[in-house]
Amino acid sequence: MMEQTAEQSMVLYSNAYLKLYNRRPKDLRALDNGWVIVNGARMQVSELDYLTTQLMREYSQGVEQKRSIVNRLLKWFKQN
């Protein structure tokens, strides 16, 4: 598997952040040697990739919860 560049990782993080919070991250920029700044914190690109995975997991859980609620409501309406 090829390693992502800092720019690619920042785009993926920014998209995941936008999906979850409906806004772009305020402070996201690349430094040198595989480091980035995210909301004032300095981290390595691999940490940003992990953070992106966590954001996507949280987003997916939220979507699944909403889907579950809608399905329960539909079931309830069908019974009544």
Side-chain angles (χ1 to χ4, degrees), residues 14-27:
S14 183
N15 290 337
Y17 192 95
L18 178 63
K19 276 182 158 181
L20 186 59
Y21 299 115
N22 294 322
R23 61 185 165 91
R24 295 270 177 207
K26 289 183 181 176
D27 188 15

Side-chain angles (χ1 to χ4, degrees), residues 4-5 7 11 16-17 24 30 34 37-38 40 52 66 68 70 78:
Q4 297 183 135
T5 65
E7 289 76 18
V11 166
Y17 192 95
R24 295 270 177 207
I37 298 287
V38 179
T52 301
K66 288 176 187 173
S68 174
V70 168
K78 284 180 183 178

Side-chain angles (χ1 to χ4, degrees), residues 57-71:
R57 184 174 294 133
E58 198 172 322
Y59 174 76
S60 295
Q61 287 172 347
V63 167
E64 199 55 43
Q65 286 174 345
K66 288 176 187 173
R67 184 176 291 132
S68 174
I69 291 169
V70 168
N71 285 334

